Amino acid sequence: GRPVEAHPPALLYRVAKFARRHALTVSASALAALLLIASGLVSLAQAARARREAEHAARRLADVRELAGSFLFEIETGLRDLAGSTKLRAQVVTTALRYLELLSTESADDPALLEDLARGYVKVGEIQGSPYEPNLGEPEAALDSAGRALAQADRLAELRPDERAGAERRAFALRLRGDVEGTFGRVTAARTTYKEALAAARRA
């Protein structure tokens, strides 16, 4: 099965002779090469699909952020001075909270999203029970929203300790908590909270 001198020394001829002599090894090598190529193509296809899904998720997340902002900072503000709008404002808060909860599951370590969430929860808390704004008379819910805003602000401050956004969002969340604590007559707690808010504001 070896090449003969009488045959022209063509590469294809010599390769064919080699393949016949080592049929098992060549077959195994060819199969391994095909498997490698196939797995590479599958990986490329999966990467392309993952990229498309990530782009779709990013667009959806941006849409939800925009909707949450619209409900809180545009629609609710427009309803505030409308007579008999309390039920509508309550529905706006319920919808906005649903959006914020959805966003919070996606926030992970995205500083911009964390800042939006902290701002959104403060706004919701003000609508629910801030004594200095037309509110829905839900101070307990307002305290809960202040706590959520504070959690987002603290995470933001951990991620970006050298930037002002975390301290600023923390100041607003603490101010809301202090305002609501005051409505419950918790004067000592409110004073402590306001001091924390002032310290955060100074850092910002």
Side-chain angles (χ1 to χ4, degrees):
R2 293 182 174 277
V4 296
E5 300 263 340
H7 193 285
L11 178 62
L12 188 60
Y13 167 72
R14 299 182 73 82
V15 168
K17 285 289 186 181
F18 179 85
R20 285 195 194 97
R21 287 198 315 275
H22 305 283
L24 186 60
T25 304
V26 169
S27 298
S29 299
L31 181 60
L34 285 172
L35 287 173
L36 279 172
I37 292 168
S39 66
L41 290 172
V42 168
S43 296
L44 284 173
Q46 288 176 339
R49 186 173 62 200
R51 189 169 55 252
R52 287 195 301 272
E53 288 175 355
E55 289 169 357
H56 177 70
R59 285 196 300 271
R60 187 184 64 193
L61 189 62
D63 290 342
V64 173
R65 285 171 75 174
E66 188 176 343
L67 277 171
S70 294
F71 267 96
L72 279 174
F73 296 100
E74 294 173 21
I75 296 174
E76 194 282 329
T77 302
L79 291 172
R80 183 177 299 180
D81 299 324
L82 190 66
S85 64
T86 303
K87 285 186 179 180
L88 285 174
R89 292 180 74 213
Q91 288 176 355
V92 166
V93 166
T94 300
T95 303
L97 275 173
R98 194 161 61 244
Y99 286 139
L100 291 172
E101 285 164 14
L102 176 62
L103 286 170
S104 66
T105 63
E106 303 282 344
S107 61
D109 292 336
D110 182 344
L113 183 51
L114 288 167
E115 187 174 355
D116 284 353
L117 284 166
R119 183 181 286 110
Y121 277 121
V122 165
K123 181 65 175 174
V124 165
E126 289 172 350
I127 299 166
Q128 289 169 323
S130 170
Y132 301 110
E133 292 198 21
N135 66 74
L136 300 175
E138 300 173 355
E140 290 289 355
L143 276 179
D144 181 64
S145 293
R148 293 184 185 209
L150 196 55
Q152 305 297 333
D154 287 344
R155 182 60 184 146
L156 177 58
E158 285 176 22
L159 290 173
R160 299 283 177 86
D162 298 331
E163 294 183 12
R164 61 180 287 186
E168 186 177 82
R169 291 299 106 207
R170 179 175 171 77
F172 279 107
L174 287 166
R175 185 199 66 181
L176 171 63
R177 190 168 78 183
D179 290 346
V180 180
E181 285 171 341
T183 65
F184 284 110
R186 302 171 189 167
V187 179
T188 304
R191 184 181 294 114
T192 302
T193 301
Y194 282 139
K195 284 180 179 178
E196 287 183 55
L198 185 57
R202 284 175 174 149
R203 283 199 302 277

